[in-house]
């Protein structure tokens, strides 16, 4: 049997080539402590302090002894019971880990370092050092040791790594082999941001390797960090390393890399971008994000990165995000993925699944809204496509102007960044103002920042010296110190502003111009012919990229006449030819387009939007890609556009966005359609918009107050128009939402639906009535009646009347799931779980998440922590959290409860569960607050914290007083009895409390809770 253990980085264990599950977190942490002190005994008292700190339970010693036994059998499965084995030994009141040769990476590291130090041959010594450093994968015990008292155990190991890094760096530089230790120095510098000898070694190694720009950038980064966070200057060693880089003659570089970028003041930024591209070229991954103010040169840097990648044989796929609601959803990905697919040897292979919804949008008329799992399948297909491309050729994905990206594009960016295939680099750029990054973008960037190989690069202003060089390059003459200072002061070093003022300086010989680009643009527009000015204003409304044919049609001129009028604009630098499309133009910068737009009056804006919309309908009548753009312009045209036309366009845009899985965009379009139709009194069209909105929101979003108002309005419209079945659909959806959000009027809604069901001949409406009444009975605690409502079937087999919502799969609601829950509460857990198992469709992540949700819920109600834990672990291991379902916080809650009850760091699990309730269920209030607090109380009991358990029960009682939902009252009484027992109260008091729980649950036919209470009473009898 072969055994290998790793503690120099994440804790991992392999036996016979297979990685082993290390069990609960505390058990794994115990192993990490023993490995870190290999060859040295650790007393049990120290182990208890390290694992639990001041919160050690009275059973801590027994727990450690149990963990040691489990670990011995993990390392040696054939070990007889109670045998010590070869690795974990008892020494008095201490434990000692001994490692066989080649078993533990820490021992191998120290042996190699000793060999290097004993070696007289310096080349051989370097070989030993490099091999030793290569064993490190990150901070010692990383992951498992986070949040623990690790300083005295793991930090000394990291210090050993840092010392060897600096020694090896000096040796490698002296031998002219700096590249050999560069990976280790990079790792060490990321682990120790304030360790000056390590950073001095990194600067020296980079400089000796000919990477002067990177070395200087590394020095500036650590210097600024020391100043900003510690208020100190760099150490003499760091300063000396810096000086050596400055005085070292540059090494010759390959001719291909020697191409001048023409950029001024951006050497360090270029070095970082080229390093990111090199990651892809060498089979690794990287994510680099540039941010800075508009005009600072982000796009220019992206162009340089693209050129560098292309020169070195990489595939470059570029996606630009555009401003404005008229931009098609998923637009940046449509561009980037189109490039990859076009370069694929078999493009048709990638267009057979969800990817076609982006690259080949289908006709939306009559098309069904995609199912709930379609977005996940699309995202995975994109990852597979990129992985296939990068396996053939290093791949660089570039996304410019991420601040304009739609939410669905950002979600896909996050997904791809989290599963980035080897040989792929992502480089993105965004503005840090005008506009500020949205909350969605900030969340995506935060998630990306946790990925390996991530760099966030702030692109700042140019220095005065760089401004002088840029002006000199643009104007062809030396501006002089006074002019340079004036330009630098008035532009704040913004390269775009500097260039604009430099051009005016070259043309007019003076700086007597306003200090902003807006004034520059207006000044240039002042000399234009009125017809040219109108054309420019229309172009600004169309967007940064302008289709000349669309512009000509909107302006009412032919294409040739349009191009003739545009010539002065190109000469003035306001417009320039499109990058890849001969029939398009683009604004030189978004700031130019924004400046033009601000010269247009409100009256002109609405009129011009309508002209653009008219032109779009004439040129792109059947093009779904233009649907969202058309809807935007008609909506912006306001009262000048026919309301029915605007609403129809918005509904079509919403359907197109939904078909592309851009659900937030679909939601926005459809809500606008509802407002437009209601204002115009277009009842049929308003109902159509509300129907599609109900499907989209019910599947992919969360209810809010405005949605309830819209559902009530939809029910009224359907009834007024004589569509009673549709009215019932909307009423049922509204009722389900009312129970989800614990609306005060939910009982009245359920009563009304029950009455409607009793009077209806429609099987679906009858079923709505039974399910609504069943939810009401569950809500008030009558479990038996609720169960009978959900299991009752119709006497006849008449088919449901078909309605748009029923065709869309939005209803008949969540009856099957609630039927399983009621069956379990009524006492038949086995039947309930078997029913849930029928939904566990293979290879369907969405179905799997629903299975996890109901399985974990029923298991927690039954007190079956191992089953709830298995369900939660499946949800996590399968990556189902990527679905971002609204079920997620309930799944997490049940999983925390299960971990706590099974003894996996119970206190931490209980605290996490309580935090989840506070963050996800209280504001606004959501169903299940009292029950979830019952789980929190059980978790705190498992952690040996009866006071905190009682506090959770008090909050549960308050939730019942505030919101109702009495179905868990029997369980709450039972947990209170357990709290009394934990506090050592008399058995008679405990027994009386448990009997009250049993009696209440029995009376309400909550037989599951009654059975749990009887089991507890039986245990009390055994204890007595």
């Amino acid at each position: 049997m072969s055994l290998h253990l790793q503690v120099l980085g994440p804790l991992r264990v392999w036996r016979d080539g297979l990685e082993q599950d290390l069990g609960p977190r505390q058990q794994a942490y115990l192993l990490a402590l023993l490995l870190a002190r290999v060859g040295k005994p650790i007393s049990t008292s120290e182990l208890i302090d390290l694992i639990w700190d001041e919160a050690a339970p009275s059973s801590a010693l027994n727990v450690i002894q149990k963990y040691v036994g489990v670990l011995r059998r993990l390392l040696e499965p054939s070990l007889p019971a109670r045998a010590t084995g070869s690795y974990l030994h008892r020494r008095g009141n201490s434990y000692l880990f001994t490692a066989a040769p080649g078993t533990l990476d820490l021992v191998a590291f120290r042996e190699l370092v000793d060999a290097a130090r004993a070696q007289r041959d310096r080349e051989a010594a370097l070989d030993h050092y490099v091999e030793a450093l290569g064993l490190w994968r990150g901070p010692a015990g990383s992951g498992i040791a986070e949040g623990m008292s690790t300083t005295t155990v793991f930090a000394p190991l990291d210090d050993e790594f840092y010392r060897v890094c600096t020694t090896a760096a000096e040796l490698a530089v002296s031998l002219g082999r700096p590249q050999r230790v560069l990976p280790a120095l990079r790792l060490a510098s990321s682990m120790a941001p304030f360790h000056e000898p390590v950073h001095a070694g990194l600067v020296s190694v980079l400089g000796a390797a000919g990477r002067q720009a990177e070395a200087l950038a590394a020095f500036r980064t650590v210097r600024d960090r020391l100043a900003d966070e510690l208020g100190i200057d760099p150490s003499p060693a760091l300063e000396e390393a810096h000086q050596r880089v400055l005085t070292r003659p540059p090494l010759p570089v390959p001719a291909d890399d020697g191409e001048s970028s023409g950029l001024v003041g951006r050497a360090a930024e270029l070095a970082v971008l080229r390093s990111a591209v090199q990651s892809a070229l060498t089979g690794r991954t990287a994510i680099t994000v540039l941010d800075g103010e508009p005009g600072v040169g982000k796009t220019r840097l992206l162009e340089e990165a693209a050129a560098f990648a292309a020169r070195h044989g990489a595939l470059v796929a570029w996606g630009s995000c555009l401003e404005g609601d008229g931009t098609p959803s998923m637009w940046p990905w449509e561009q980037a993925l189109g490039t990859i697919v076009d370069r694929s040897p078999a493009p048709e292979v990638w267009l057979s699944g969800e990817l076609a919804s982006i690259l080949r949008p289908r006709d939306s008329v009559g098309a069904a809204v995609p199912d709930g799992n379609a977005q996940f399948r699309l995202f995975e297909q994109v990852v597979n496509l990129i992985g296939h491309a990068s396996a053939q050729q290093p791949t660089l994905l570039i996304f410019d102007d991420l601040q304009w990206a739609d939410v669905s594009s950002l979600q896909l960016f996050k997904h791809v960044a989290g599963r980035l295939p080897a040989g792929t680099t992502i480089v993105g750029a965004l503005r840090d103002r005008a506009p500020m990054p949205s909350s969605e973008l900030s969340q995506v960037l935060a998630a990306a920042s946790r990925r390996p190989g991530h760099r966030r690069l702030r692109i700042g202003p140019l220095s005065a010296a760089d401004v002088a060089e840029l002006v000199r390059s643009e104007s062809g003459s030396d501006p002089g110190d006074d002019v340079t200072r004036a330009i630098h002061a008035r532009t704040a070093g913004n390269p775009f502003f500097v260039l604009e003022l430099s051009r005016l300086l070259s043309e007019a010989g003076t700086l007597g111009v306003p200090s902003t680009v807006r004034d520059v643009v207006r000044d240039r527009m002042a000399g234009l012919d009125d017809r040219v000015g109108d054309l420019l204003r229309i172009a600004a409304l169309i967007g940064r990229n302008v289709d000349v044919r669309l512009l000509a049609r909107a302006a009412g001129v032919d294409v040739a006449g349009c191009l003739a009028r545009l010539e002065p604009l190109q000469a003035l630098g306001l417009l320039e030819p499109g990058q890849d499309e001969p029939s398009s133009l683009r604004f030189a910068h978004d700031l130019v387009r924004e400046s033009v737009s601000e010269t247009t009056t409100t009256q002109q804006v609405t009129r011009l939007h309508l002209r653009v919309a008219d032109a779009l309908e004439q040129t792109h009548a059947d093009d779904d890609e233009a649907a969202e753009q058309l809807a935007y312009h008609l909506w912006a045209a306001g009262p000048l556009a026919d309301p029915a036309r605007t609403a129809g366009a918005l509904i079509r845009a919403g359907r197109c966005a939904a078909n592309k899985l851009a659900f937030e965009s679909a939601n926005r379009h459809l809500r606008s359609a509802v407002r437009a139709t209601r204002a115009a009194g277009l009842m049929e069209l308003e109902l159509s918009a509300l129907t599609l909105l109900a499907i989209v929101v019910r599947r992919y979003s969360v209810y809010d107050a405005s949605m309830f108002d819209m559902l009530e309005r939809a029910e009224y419209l359907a009834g007024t128009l004589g569509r009673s079945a549709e009215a019932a659909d909307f009423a049922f959806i509204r009722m389900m939402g009312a129970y989800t959000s614990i609306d005060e009027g939910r009982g009245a809604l359920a009563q009304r639906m029950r009455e409607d069901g009793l009077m209806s001949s429609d099987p679906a409406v009858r079923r709505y009535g039974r399910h609504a009444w069943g939810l009401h009975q569950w809500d008030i605690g009558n479990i038996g009646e609720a169960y009978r409502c959900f299991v009752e079937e119709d006497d006849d087999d008449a088919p449901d009347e078909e309605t748009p919502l029923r065709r869309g799969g939005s209803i008949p609601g969540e009856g099957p799931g609630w039927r399983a829950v009621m069956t379990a509460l009524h006492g038949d857990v086995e039947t309930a779980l078997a029913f849930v198992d029928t939904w566990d469709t293979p290879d369907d992540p969405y179905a799997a998440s629903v299975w996890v949700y109901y399985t974990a819920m029923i298991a927690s109600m039954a007190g079956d922590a191992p089953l709830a834990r298995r369900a939660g672990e499946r949800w996590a291991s399968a990556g189902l959290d990527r679905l971002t379902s609204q079920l997620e916080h309930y799944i997490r809650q049940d999983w925390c409860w299960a971990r706590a009850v099974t003894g996996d760091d119970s206190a931490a699990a209980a605290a996490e569960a309580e935090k989840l309730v506070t963050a996800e269920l209280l504001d606004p209030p959501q169903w299940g607050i009292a029950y979830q607090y019952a789980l929190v109380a059980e978790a705190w009991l498992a952690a040996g914290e009866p006071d905190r358990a009682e506090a959770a029960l008090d909050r549960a009682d308050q939730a019942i007083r505030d919101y109702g939902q009495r179905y868990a009252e029997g369980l709450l009484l039972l947990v209170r009895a357990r709290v009394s027992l934990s506090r050592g109260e008399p058995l008679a008091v405990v027994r009386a409390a448990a009997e009250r729980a049993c009696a209440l649950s029995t009376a309400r036919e909550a037989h599951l809770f009654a059975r749990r209470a009887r089991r507890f009473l039986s245990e009390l009898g055994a204890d007595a």
Side-chain angles (χ1 to χ4, degrees):
M1 181 192 76
S2 64
L3 183 68
H4 179 66
L5 301 99
Q6 172 185 295
V7 74
L8 303 183
L11 177 66
R12 302 176 73 182
V13 174
W14 293 267
R15 193 177 65 237
D16 294 331
L18 298 176
E19 187 165 3
Q20 303 299 303
D21 181 358
L22 301 181
R25 185 165 181 257
Q26 289 178 337
Q27 178 175 297
Y29 183 48
L30 172 63
L31 176 61
L33 293 172
L34 294 167
L35 296 183
R37 294 275 186 88
V38 59
K40 299 178 181 178
I42 310 180
S43 68
T44 53
S45 60
E46 184 179 3
L47 288 171
I48 291 172
D49 289 340
L50 288 169
I51 295 174
W52 286 283
D53 201 7
E54 297 179 357
S58 57
S59 60
L61 182 58
N62 290 336
V63 172
I64 286 179
Q65 293 168 347
K66 170 189 169 185
Y67 285 160
V68 167
V70 174
L71 290 172
R72 282 171 173 162
R73 288 187 292 277
L74 172 73
L75 301 177
E76 298 177 276
S78 60
L79 194 67
R82 301 187 179 279
T84 301
S86 307
Y87 303 103
L88 265 173
H89 307 282
R90 184 70 181 262
R91 295 289 186 270
N93 65 343
S94 301
Y95 285 101
L96 168 71
F97 185 89
T98 58
T103 300
L104 178 61
D105 58 356
L106 175 58
V107 172
F109 170 75
R110 288 170 173 166
E111 290 174 347
L112 287 165
V113 171
D114 290 342
R117 290 169 177 163
Q119 183 61 250
R120 294 185 178 181
D121 184 333
R122 299 173 73 227
E123 288 280 2
L126 182 59
D127 290 340
H128 289 309
Y129 278 132
V130 171
E131 185 178 354
L133 295 173
L135 295 173
W136 283 79
R137 299 291 183 268
S142 59
I144 194 65
E146 291 173 3
M148 301 289 191
S149 304
T150 62
T151 304
T152 60
V153 178
F154 296 99
L157 302 186
D158 294 340
D159 287 338
E160 288 184 52
F161 177 50
Y162 304 147
R163 288 193 296 272
V164 175
C165 279
T166 56
T167 301
E170 293 175 3
L171 179 59
V173 170
S174 70
L175 292 172
R177 305 288 183 87
Q179 296 88 345
R180 298 197 65 191
V181 296
L182 186 53
L185 266 294
R186 288 191 191 279
L187 174 60
S189 65
S190 68
M191 291 165 51
F194 299 102
H195 197 291
E196 293 182 84
V198 164
H199 287 273
L202 176 61
V203 171
S204 296
V205 167
L206 286 169
R211 303 184 181 190
Q212 186 181 50
E214 286 185 67
L216 297 176
F219 173 77
R220 285 195 295 270
T221 297
V222 69
R223 179 194 61 192
D224 294 346
R225 186 184 299 129
L226 291 169
D228 294 344
E229 301 189 31
L230 300 182
I232 62 175
D233 294 327
S235 66
L238 255 177
E239 291 284 9
E240 289 171 10
H242 180 222
Q243 287 301 314
R244 284 196 298 272
V245 173
L246 293 174
T247 56
R248 181 187 299 275
L251 297 179
V253 295
D256 192 39
D257 290 340
E259 293 189 14
S260 173
S261 67
L263 282 175
V264 174
R266 300 298 188 213
E269 292 85 348
L270 280 173
V272 172
L273 287 173
R274 288 172 177 170
S275 176
V277 174
Q278 287 284 4
S279 294
L281 297 176
T282 55
R284 294 173 290 137
T285 62
I287 303 171
T288 299
V289 177
L290 316 181
D291 68 56
E293 66 176 354
V296 80
K298 302 181 295 295
T299 301
R300 184 73 177 85
L301 283 165
L302 295 181
E303 292 169 350
E304 283 300 317
F308 178 83
R311 289 198 304 270
H312 287 76
L315 169 62
V316 179
W318 191 299
S320 294
C321 308
L322 303 179
E323 181 189 13
D325 293 339
T327 303
S329 308
M330 293 286 199
W331 177 242
W333 286 100
E334 181 176 343
Q335 300 168 77
L337 299 177
T339 299
I340 296 175
V341 169
D342 289 343
R343 296 285 293 273
S344 169
E348 64 280 359
V349 172
W350 299 103
L351 297 176
S352 58
E354 273 71 21
L355 194 56
S357 67
I358 295 180
L359 300 181
R360 289 185 181 173
R362 62 184 183 276
D363 183 4
S364 65
V365 178
V369 174
D371 64 82
N373 193 40
Q375 188 179 62
F376 180 82
R377 293 196 302 268
L378 166 65
F379 288 7
E380 283 297 281
Q381 191 176 6
V382 170
V383 172
N384 293 336
L385 171 62
I386 296 170
H388 184 271
S390 60
Q392 309 300 318
Q393 181 181 11
T395 300
L396 172 64
L397 300 175
I398 296 179
F399 295 97
D400 197 9
D401 287 325
L402 282 169
Q403 74 279 351
W404 304 129
D406 62 283
V407 175
S408 296
S409 293
L410 292 175
Q411 290 173 342
L412 180 50
F413 184 102
K414 177 182 177 181
H415 188 93
V416 172
R419 293 170 54 76
L420 198 59
T424 307
T425 287
I426 296 178
V427 178
L430 66 140
R431 293 183 180 185
D432 62 356
R433 66 195 74 173
M436 294 293 290
S438 65
S439 59
E440 293 87 355
L441 176 56
S442 298
Q443 291 169 6
V444 168
L445 296 177
S449 70
R450 296 189 286 269
R451 308 307 305 171
H454 174 272
R455 286 290 302 273
R456 182 75 174 265
L457 198 57
R458 163 77 179 165
I459 311 301
L462 298 177
S463 66
D466 291 332
V467 166
E469 183 178 348
L470 186 56
V471 173
R472 190 181 305 114
S473 172
E474 181 64 26
S475 65
S477 60
D478 191 341
D481 291 341
D482 291 340
V483 172
T484 297
R485 280 195 296 270
I487 293 178
H488 186 255
R490 300 177 76 178
T491 63
N494 183 291
F496 177 71
F497 293 179
V498 172
L499 282 172
E500 291 300 310
L501 293 178
S502 299
R503 288 165 184 157
L504 287 175
L505 173 66
S506 179
E507 295 167 3
T510 177
L511 285 176
V513 296
S515 61
T516 65
V517 170
R518 183 173 294 105
D519 292 334
V520 171
V521 173
R522 290 175 177 174
D523 198 41
R524 292 186 178 190
M525 290 178 63
L528 294 175
D529 177 270
D530 287 345
R531 295 177 303 168
V532 177
D534 288 343
L535 199 64
L536 183 62
R537 292 183 180 91
I538 296 173
L541 291 181
I542 291 175
R544 186 174 179 186
N545 294 303
V546 182
D547 184 329
V548 174
R549 291 165 297 190
L550 175 62
L551 177 60
R553 184 64 65 95
V557 299
D558 59 31
V559 174
C562 181
L563 290 172
R565 292 185 189 182
L566 292 173
E567 287 182 7
L569 301 177
Q570 296 185 62
L572 289 171
L574 297 175
L575 286 174
E576 59 188 25
Q579 293 177 326
D580 301 312
E581 178 56 53
S583 64
S584 72
L585 295 170
R586 70 194 305 265
F587 281 91
H589 197 283
D590 255 342
L591 291 175
V592 173
R593 187 188 62 78
E594 293 164 8
S595 300
V596 173
S597 295
E598 290 186 6
T599 67
T600 312
T601 66
T602 303
Q603 293 78 8
Q604 287 176 317
V605 166
T606 55
R607 178 173 54 82
L608 293 178
H609 272 299
L610 184 59
R611 289 170 62 179
V612 174
D614 291 339
L616 272 170
E617 282 195 330
Q618 294 167 11
T619 57
H620 299 77
D622 299 320
D623 185 359
D624 274 357
E625 277 298 295
E628 293 177 80
Q629 191 178 3
L630 174 62
Y632 163 70
H633 287 294
L634 285 172
W635 178 255
L640 296 183
D642 175 61
R645 180 186 177 197
T646 300
L650 287 165
I651 292 173
R652 182 184 178 193
R655 189 176 292 278
C656 289
N659 284 335
K660 291 193 288 185
L661 312 176
F663 309 122
E664 291 77 10
S665 296
N667 192 324
R668 175 169 45 81
H669 291 317
L670 293 169
R671 286 174 183 260
S672 297
V674 170
R675 290 196 294 272
T677 50
R678 186 169 188 179
L682 302 171
M683 296 176 66
E684 286 278 3
L685 209 51
E686 183 183 357
L687 183 59
S688 297
L690 286 166
T691 299
L692 184 55
L693 179 62
I695 294 174
V696 169
V697 169
R698 184 163 166 76
R699 285 197 184 167
Y700 308 113
S701 300
V702 179
Y703 292 99
D704 58 20
S706 65
M707 192 61 210
F708 283 117
D709 293 340
M710 290 185 183
L711 289 170
E712 185 176 9
R713 171 71 176 174
E715 182 186 354
Y716 164 77
L717 287 174
T720 301
L721 295 170
R723 301 176 188 172
S724 58
E726 292 180 46
D729 292 346
F730 285 114
F732 184 77
I733 294 175
R734 182 171 164 232
M735 188 274 303
M736 289 298 303
Y739 275 91
T740 298
S741 59
I742 326 181
D743 185 82
E744 289 183 0
R746 61 189 185 275
L749 282 174
Q751 174 69 38
R752 199 194 82 188
M753 291 217 67
R754 182 197 186 201
E755 294 170 355
D756 290 345
L758 292 173
M759 300 293 294
S760 177
S761 60
D762 184 344
V765 177
R766 294 200 299 270
R767 187 164 56 249
Y768 296 164
R770 292 196 303 274
H771 290 180
W773 196 242
L775 275 179
H776 175 64
Q777 295 300 314
W778 162 83
D779 193 33
I780 63 176
N782 294 334
I783 303 303
E785 185 61 27
Y787 167 73
R788 286 183 283 276
C789 287
F790 276 97
V791 299
E792 180 182 345
E793 300 289 345
D794 282 320
D795 296 332
D796 59 72
D797 296 325
D800 290 0
E801 181 178 339
E802 189 174 83
T803 67
L805 283 170
R806 297 173 199 176
R807 282 196 304 271
S810 227
I811 45 178
E814 295 150 4
W818 284 108
R819 175 179 176 177
V821 172
M822 301 309 165
T823 300
L825 285 172
H826 197 248
D828 193 349
V829 174
E830 184 176 348
T831 297
L833 290 173
F835 187 41
V836 172
D837 285 342
T838 63
W839 311 333
D840 191 8
T841 306
D843 303 322
D844 186 342
Y846 186 78
S849 69
V850 173
W851 177 90
V852 169
Y853 170 70
Y854 282 109
T855 298
M857 184 196 307
I858 292 170
S860 68
M861 290 176 170
D864 189 346
L867 175 59
R869 180 164 183 169
R870 288 196 298 274
E873 287 169 350
R874 176 183 173 185
W875 176 77
S877 63
L880 299 177
D881 54 330
R882 292 197 298 272
L883 294 175
T884 59
S885 165
Q886 56 184 308
L887 308 179
E888 177 176 338
H889 50 265
Y890 292 106
I891 295 173
R892 287 188 181 278
Q893 186 83 11
D894 293 335
W895 192 19
C896 288
W897 168 83
R899 297 201 326 262
V901 172
T902 55
D904 183 5
D905 201 352
S906 300
E912 183 181 349
E914 193 157 36
K915 184 177 179 181
L916 278 169
V917 175
T918 302
E920 304 292 348
L921 299 186
L922 299 187
D923 187 17
Q926 300 291 305
W927 81 269
I929 296 175
Y931 175 69
Q932 298 300 330
Y933 270 128
L935 297 186
V936 171
E938 288 192 299
W940 281 124
L941 271 180
E945 296 276 2
D947 291 343
R948 301 185 75 165
E950 184 171 42
L953 291 172
D954 291 342
R955 286 189 283 272
D957 289 343
Q958 184 62 49
I960 289 177
R961 289 192 292 271
D962 291 342
Y963 307 116
Q965 296 208 318
R966 316 188 76 89
Y967 66 94
E969 279 188 302
L971 177 63
L972 292 172
L973 290 173
L974 174 58
V975 178
R976 281 202 182 276
R978 293 181 56 207
V979 170
S980 297
L981 180 65
S982 176
R983 284 180 162 167
E985 295 183 18
L987 283 178
V989 173
V990 177
R991 184 176 291 106
E995 287 172 348
R996 285 195 298 273
C998 185
L1000 179 67
S1001 298
T1002 301
R1004 294 180 174 179
E1005 297 183 71
H1007 300 308
L1008 176 60
F1009 294 156
R1011 188 161 60 238
R1012 290 183 62 180
R1014 286 193 295 271
R1015 186 184 310 126
F1016 179 68
L1017 285 166
S1018 175
E1019 292 169 357
L1020 288 179
D1023 290 341

